[in-house]
């Protein structure tokens, strides 16, 4: 990420999104990178009738699930885990807003993330990069560019992969990168610290 400043970087969560970004970028005269999600190839999606035509804008987030208690920010294949964790949080009375940032560069040009955090007052950033990678970049953008600090009732948190290369196989992946359990537990811990009487310790 840090070696690619000046290049558009799209991080689609599935292959339909990837097609939309390719269509946009092929019309532009700018360098770009589309990071395809490996797990996205395993998802069965409806084939758009305008596959080679529809375009997705750069620098815009997408709210996948609205919520009022905590904002969960992610991108790429990790989003499926975040959405599952958000469903489990709902069963515990926690309303999580799930946001796909869609592009790292440019990043949320209309500052919609700030609007979400103004509503929830809490944010957790989840990604599969190592500590200090994309999650740190996202947090820097939120703190320094969007000035979210006055809006927060709890310290902003990140949840990343372990500080090593992912291990092989599904078991190795589970222990190397954030899992649904990790996301649920981290988000619940934030809510517990904010209101322990409403959300008792697990």
């Amino acid at each position: 990420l840090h070696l690619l400043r000046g290049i558009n970087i799209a991080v689609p969560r599935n292959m339909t999104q990837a097609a939309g970004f390719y269509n946009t970028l092929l019309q532009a005269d700018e360098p770009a990178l589309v990071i395809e999600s490996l797990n996205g190839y395993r998802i069965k999606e409806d084939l758009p009738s305008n596959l080679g035509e529809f375009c997705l804008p750069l620098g815009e987030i997408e709210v996948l699930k609205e919520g009022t208690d905590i904002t969960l920010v992610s991108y790429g294949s990790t989003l499926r885990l975040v959405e599952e964790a958000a469903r489990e949080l709902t069963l515990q009375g926690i309303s999580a807003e799930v946001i796909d940032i869609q592009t790292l560069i440019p990043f949320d040009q209309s500052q919609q993330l700030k609007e979400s955090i103004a509503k929830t007052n809490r944010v957790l950033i989840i990604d599969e990069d190592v500590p200090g990678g994309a999650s740190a970049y996202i947090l820097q953008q939120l703190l320094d560019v969007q000035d979210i600090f006055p809006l927060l009732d709890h310290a902003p948190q990140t949840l990343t992969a372990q500080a090593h290369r992912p291990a092989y196989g599904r078991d190795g992946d589970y222990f190397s990168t954030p899992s649904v359990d990790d996301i649920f537990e981290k988000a619940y811990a934030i809510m517990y610290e904010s209101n322990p009487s409403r959300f008792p310790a697990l």
Side-chain angles (χ1 to χ4, degrees):
L1 173 63
H2 300 298
L3 295 174
L4 296 172
R5 297 302 176 97
I7 298 177
N8 293 308
I9 302 179
V11 282
R13 64 182 180 271
N14 55 42
M15 294 302 107
T16 302
Q17 260 205 328
F21 284 125
Y22 281 124
N23 292 337
T24 298
L25 294 167
L26 287 170
Q27 296 177 20
D29 188 24
E30 298 178 358
L33 180 66
V34 178
I35 301 176
E36 296 182 3
S37 163
L38 180 61
N39 289 330
Y41 289 104
R42 303 186 183 106
I43 300 172
K44 291 189 176 182
E45 303 176 60
D46 293 330
L47 183 66
S49 59
N50 59 344
L51 184 64
E53 300 170 2
F54 82 99
C55 297
L56 291 178
L58 302 178
E60 288 190 15
I61 69 165
E62 182 178 356
V63 178
L64 301 181
K65 176 185 175 297
E66 293 192 0
T68 56
D69 292 326
I70 186 170
T71 300
L72 304 179
V73 180
S74 191
Y75 63 89
S77 60
T78 310
L79 268 164
R80 289 191 300 285
L81 306 179
V82 173
E83 288 181 298
E84 186 175 341
R87 288 191 288 272
E88 293 187 10
L89 288 166
T90 299
L91 299 177
Q92 301 298 322
I94 298 171
S95 175
E97 184 142 298
V98 177
I99 292 180
D100 179 2
I101 62 171
Q102 301 197 99
T103 59
L104 287 166
I105 301 175
F107 182 84
D108 187 19
Q109 293 184 313
S110 59
Q111 299 196 0
Q112 291 175 273
L113 274 167
K114 184 175 184 178
E115 295 177 16
S116 173
I117 295 166
K119 176 174 58 174
T120 65
N121 308 117
R122 302 171 190 89
V123 62
L124 173 61
I125 301 162
I126 308 107
D127 81 325
E128 291 184 337
D129 201 355
V130 294
S135 60
Y137 163 77
I138 294 167
L139 185 56
Q140 178 270 329
Q141 290 288 306
L142 292 177
L143 290 172
D144 293 347
V145 180
Q146 299 195 17
D147 190 29
I148 65 163
F149 189 77
L151 306 173
L152 295 171
D153 289 342
H154 188 280
Q157 300 282 314
T158 63
L159 179 60
T160 68
Q162 299 299 316
H164 56 68
R165 292 179 182 274
Y168 289 105
R170 288 192 178 274
D171 288 346
D173 185 58
Y174 180 86
F175 290 107
S176 297
T177 59
S179 66
V180 173
D181 293 337
D182 294 331
I183 299 164
F184 173 87
E185 290 170 6
K186 187 90 168 181
Y188 190 93
I190 292 172
M191 298 307 302
Y192 163 73
E193 291 175 20
S194 299
N195 192 341
S197 62
R198 182 181 171 194
F199 304 106
L202 292 173

